[in-house]
PDB file of all heavy atoms in Angstrom:
ATOM      1  N   ARG H  95       2.232  14.832 -27.848  1.00  0.00           N
ATOM      2  CA  ARG H  95       1.620  14.262 -29.058  1.00  0.00           C
ATOM      3  C   ARG H  95       2.289  14.817 -30.311  1.00  0.00           C
ATOM      4  O   ARG H  95       2.595  14.074 -31.250  1.00  0.00           O
ATOM      5  CB  ARG H  95       0.123  14.583 -29.085  1.00  0.00           C
ATOM      6  CG  ARG H  95      -0.730  13.818 -28.107  1.00  0.00           C
ATOM      7  CD  ARG H  95      -0.850  12.349 -28.490  1.00  0.00           C
ATOM      8  NE  ARG H  95      -1.326  12.187 -29.849  1.00  0.00           N
ATOM      9  CZ  ARG H  95      -2.618  12.152 -30.202  1.00  0.00           C
ATOM     10  NH1 ARG H  95      -3.559  12.302 -29.266  1.00  0.00           N
ATOM     11  NH2 ARG H  95      -2.973  11.961 -31.457  1.00  0.00           N
ATOM     12  N   ALA H  96       2.505  16.136 -30.351  1.00  0.00           N
ATOM     13  CA  ALA H  96       3.042  16.776 -31.556  1.00  0.00           C
ATOM     14  C   ALA H  96       4.477  16.357 -31.851  1.00  0.00           C
ATOM     15  O   ALA H  96       4.880  16.227 -33.012  1.00  0.00           O
ATOM     16  CB  ALA H  96       2.952  18.295 -31.420  1.00  0.00           C
ATOM     17  N   THR H  97       5.267  16.152 -30.815  1.00  0.00           N
ATOM     18  CA  THR H  97       6.679  15.789 -31.008  1.00  0.00           C
ATOM     19  C   THR H  97       6.879  14.289 -31.213  1.00  0.00           C
ATOM     20  O   THR H  97       7.985  13.861 -31.543  1.00  0.00           O
ATOM     21  CB  THR H  97       7.509  16.225 -29.793  1.00  0.00           C
ATOM     22  OG1 THR H  97       6.979  15.615 -28.602  1.00  0.00           O
ATOM     23  CG2 THR H  97       7.476  17.735 -29.639  1.00  0.00           C
ATOM     24  N   GLY H  98       5.819  13.497 -30.996  1.00  0.00           N
ATOM     25  CA  GLY H  98       5.954  12.049 -31.135  1.00  0.00           C
ATOM     26  C   GLY H  98       6.749  11.417 -30.015  1.00  0.00           C
ATOM     27  O   GLY H  98       7.276  10.302 -30.169  1.00  0.00           O
ATOM     28  N   ALA H  99       6.856  12.114 -28.871  1.00  0.00           N
ATOM     29  CA  ALA H  99       7.664  11.616 -27.754  1.00  0.00           C
ATOM     30  C   ALA H  99       7.110  10.309 -27.196  1.00  0.00           C
ATOM     31  O   ALA H  99       7.878   9.411 -26.822  1.00  0.00           O
ATOM     32  CB  ALA H  99       7.727  12.674 -26.649  1.00  0.00           C
ATOM     33  N   ILE H 100       5.785  10.200 -27.126  1.00  0.00           N
ATOM     34  CA  ILE H 100       5.179   8.988 -26.557  1.00  0.00           C
ATOM     35  C   ILE H 100       5.441   7.795 -27.467  1.00  0.00           C
ATOM     36  O   ILE H 100       5.843   6.713 -27.004  1.00  0.00           O
ATOM     37  CB  ILE H 100       3.668   9.193 -26.344  1.00  0.00           C
ATOM     38  CG1 ILE H 100       3.435  10.318 -25.324  1.00  0.00           C
ATOM     39  CG2 ILE H 100       3.015   7.902 -25.869  1.00  0.00           C
ATOM     40  CD1 ILE H 100       1.982  10.645 -25.099  1.00  0.00           C
ATOM     41  N   GLU H 101       5.201   7.975 -28.772  1.00  0.00           N
ATOM     42  CA  GLU H 101       5.450   6.880 -29.708  1.00  0.00           C
ATOM     43  C   GLU H 101       6.918   6.461 -29.676  1.00  0.00           C
ATOM     44  O   GLU H 101       7.241   5.269 -29.685  1.00  0.00           O
ATOM     45  CB  GLU H 101       5.059   7.304 -31.132  1.00  0.00           C
ATOM     46  CG  GLU H 101       3.569   7.510 -31.337  1.00  0.00           C
ATOM     47  CD  GLU H 101       3.115   8.916 -30.993  1.00  0.00           C
ATOM     48  OE1 GLU H 101       3.875   9.616 -30.272  1.00  0.00           O
ATOM     49  OE2 GLU H 101       2.017   9.314 -31.413  1.00  0.00           O
ATOM     50  N   GLY H 102       7.818   7.457 -29.621  1.00  0.00           N
ATOM     51  CA  GLY H 102       9.245   7.153 -29.569  1.00  0.00           C
ATOM     52  C   GLY H 102       9.617   6.391 -28.310  1.00  0.00           C
ATOM     53  O   GLY H 102      10.434   5.465 -28.357  1.00  0.00           O
ATOM     54  N   ALA H 103       9.013   6.770 -27.176  1.00  0.00           N
ATOM     55  CA  ALA H 103       9.311   6.090 -25.914  1.00  0.00           C
ATOM     56  C   ALA H 103       8.851   4.638 -25.957  1.00  0.00           C
ATOM     57  O   ALA H 103       9.546   3.736 -25.459  1.00  0.00           O
ATOM     58  CB  ALA H 103       8.639   6.826 -24.763  1.00  0.00           C
ATOM     59  N   VAL H 104       7.689   4.401 -26.569  1.00  0.00           N
ATOM     60  CA  VAL H 104       7.166   3.032 -26.663  1.00  0.00           C
ATOM     61  C   VAL H 104       8.107   2.160 -27.482  1.00  0.00           C
ATOM     62  O   VAL H 104       8.465   1.045 -27.070  1.00  0.00           O
ATOM     63  CB  VAL H 104       5.747   3.042 -27.285  1.00  0.00           C
ATOM     64  CG1 VAL H 104       5.310   1.609 -27.614  1.00  0.00           C
ATOM     65  CG2 VAL H 104       4.757   3.683 -26.335  1.00  0.00           C
ATOM     66  N   HIS H 105       8.522   2.635 -28.641  1.00  0.00           N
ATOM     67  CA  HIS H 105       9.416   1.844 -29.490  1.00  0.00           C
ATOM     68  C   HIS H 105      10.790   1.670 -28.844  1.00  0.00           C
ATOM     69  O   HIS H 105      11.407   0.602 -28.966  1.00  0.00           O
ATOM     70  CB  HIS H 105       9.558   2.521 -30.856  1.00  0.00           C
ATOM     71  CG  HIS H 105       8.315   2.471 -31.680  1.00  0.00           C
ATOM     72  ND1 HIS H 105       7.761   1.291 -32.125  1.00  0.00           N
ATOM     73  CD2 HIS H 105       7.487   3.465 -32.120  1.00  0.00           C
ATOM     74  CE1 HIS H 105       6.670   1.552 -32.828  1.00  0.00           C
ATOM     75  NE2 HIS H 105       6.466   2.861 -32.824  1.00  0.00           N
ATOM     76  N   SER H 106      11.258   2.686 -28.145  1.00  0.00           N
ATOM     77  CA  SER H 106      12.553   2.580 -27.472  1.00  0.00           C
ATOM     78  C   SER H 106      12.514   1.522 -26.372  1.00  0.00           C
ATOM     79  O   SER H 106      13.442   0.709 -26.243  1.00  0.00           O
ATOM     80  CB  SER H 106      12.938   3.939 -26.887  1.00  0.00           C
ATOM     81  OG  SER H 106      14.144   3.849 -26.174  1.00  0.00           O
ATOM     82  N   MET H 107      11.420   1.518 -25.591  1.00  0.00           N
ATOM     83  CA  MET H 107      11.285   0.511 -24.538  1.00  0.00           C
ATOM     84  C   MET H 107      11.197  -0.888 -25.122  1.00  0.00           C
ATOM     85  O   MET H 107      11.729  -1.847 -24.567  1.00  0.00           O
ATOM     86  CB  MET H 107      10.058   0.812 -23.684  1.00  0.00           C
ATOM     87  CG  MET H 107      10.250   1.942 -22.695  1.00  0.00           C
ATOM     88  SD  MET H 107       8.853   2.123 -21.557  1.00  0.00           S
ATOM     89  CE  MET H 107       7.594   2.720 -22.665  1.00  0.00           C
ATOM     90  N   ALA H 108      10.498  -1.014 -26.247  1.00  0.00           N
ATOM     91  CA  ALA H 108      10.353  -2.327 -26.874  1.00  0.00           C
ATOM     92  C   ALA H 108      11.711  -2.902 -27.281  1.00  0.00           C
ATOM     93  O   ALA H 108      11.954  -4.112 -27.169  1.00  0.00           O
ATOM     94  CB  ALA H 108       9.448  -2.214 -28.097  1.00  0.00           C
ATOM     95  N   LYS H 109      12.612  -2.042 -27.737  1.00  0.00           N
ATOM     96  CA  LYS H 109      13.947  -2.508 -28.136  1.00  0.00           C
ATOM     97  C   LYS H 109      14.792  -2.888 -26.927  1.00  0.00           C
ATOM     98  O   LYS H 109      15.523  -3.872 -26.949  1.00  0.00           O
ATOM     99  CB  LYS H 109      14.656  -1.417 -28.944  1.00  0.00           C
ATOM    100  CG  LYS H 109      14.027  -1.159 -30.309  1.00  0.00           C
ATOM    101  CD  LYS H 109      14.781  -0.062 -31.052  1.00  0.00           C
ATOM    102  CE  LYS H 109      14.167   0.206 -32.409  1.00  0.00           C
ATOM    103  NZ  LYS H 109      14.877   1.303 -33.140  1.00  0.00           N
ATOM    104  N   LYS H 110      14.690  -2.099 -25.857  1.00  0.00           N
ATOM    105  CA  LYS H 110      15.547  -2.316 -24.689  1.00  0.00           C
ATOM    106  C   LYS H 110      15.174  -3.571 -23.901  1.00  0.00           C
ATOM    107  O   LYS H 110      16.026  -4.137 -23.213  1.00  0.00           O
ATOM    108  CB  LYS H 110      15.498  -1.093 -23.777  1.00  0.00           C
ATOM    109  CG  LYS H 110      16.207   0.119 -24.366  1.00  0.00           C
ATOM    110  CD  LYS H 110      16.192   1.287 -23.397  1.00  0.00           C
ATOM    111  CE  LYS H 110      16.949   2.477 -23.979  1.00  0.00           C
ATOM    112  NZ  LYS H 110      16.953   3.643 -23.050  1.00  0.00           N
ATOM    113  N   ILE H 111      13.909  -3.978 -23.969  1.00  0.00           N
ATOM    114  CA  ILE H 111      13.496  -5.149 -23.176  1.00  0.00           C
ATOM    115  C   ILE H 111      13.346  -6.384 -24.054  1.00  0.00           C
ATOM    116  O   ILE H 111      12.606  -7.303 -23.709  1.00  0.00           O
ATOM    117  CB  ILE H 111      12.174  -4.877 -22.428  1.00  0.00           C
ATOM    118  CG1 ILE H 111      11.039  -4.628 -23.422  1.00  0.00           C
ATOM    119  CG2 ILE H 111      12.312  -3.726 -21.472  1.00  0.00           C
ATOM    120  CD1 ILE H 111       9.694  -4.512 -22.751  1.00  0.00           C
ATOM    121  N   ALA H 112      14.055  -6.395 -25.179  1.00  0.00           N
ATOM    122  CA  ALA H 112      14.013  -7.572 -26.049  1.00  0.00           C
ATOM    123  C   ALA H 112      14.417  -8.817 -25.257  1.00  0.00           C
ATOM    124  O   ALA H 112      15.436  -8.821 -24.569  1.00  0.00           O
ATOM    125  CB  ALA H 112      14.957  -7.366 -27.233  1.00  0.00           C
ATOM    126  N   GLY H 113      13.606  -9.847 -25.357  1.00  0.00           N
ATOM    127  CA  GLY H 113      13.824 -11.072 -24.590  1.00  0.00           C
ATOM    128  C   GLY H 113      13.122 -11.063 -23.247  1.00  0.00           C
ATOM    129  O   GLY H 113      13.013 -12.087 -22.592  1.00  0.00           O
ATOM    130  N   ARG H 114      12.662  -9.916 -22.837  1.00  0.00           N
ATOM    131  CA  ARG H 114      11.894  -9.794 -21.595  1.00  0.00           C
ATOM    132  C   ARG H 114      10.583  -9.049 -21.902  1.00  0.00           C
ATOM    133  O   ARG H 114      10.229  -8.078 -21.255  1.00  0.00           O
ATOM    134  CB  ARG H 114      12.692  -9.044 -20.543  1.00  0.00           C
ATOM    135  CG  ARG H 114      14.003  -9.736 -20.139  1.00  0.00           C
ATOM    136  CD  ARG H 114      14.844  -8.827 -19.276  1.00  0.00           C
ATOM    137  NE  ARG H 114      15.322  -7.669 -20.042  1.00  0.00           N
ATOM    138  CZ  ARG H 114      15.926  -6.624 -19.495  1.00  0.00           C
ATOM    139  NH1 ARG H 114      16.099  -6.569 -18.185  1.00  0.00           N
ATOM    140  NH2 ARG H 114      16.339  -5.612 -20.238  1.00  0.00           N
TER     141      ARG H 114
END
Side-chain angles (χ1 to χ4, degrees):
R95 287 290 306 273
T97 58
I100 297 177
E101 292 87 342
V104 170
H105 291 297
S106 177
M107 283 188 291
K109 292 180 180 179
K110 289 183 178 180
I111 63 174
R114 298 170 293 171

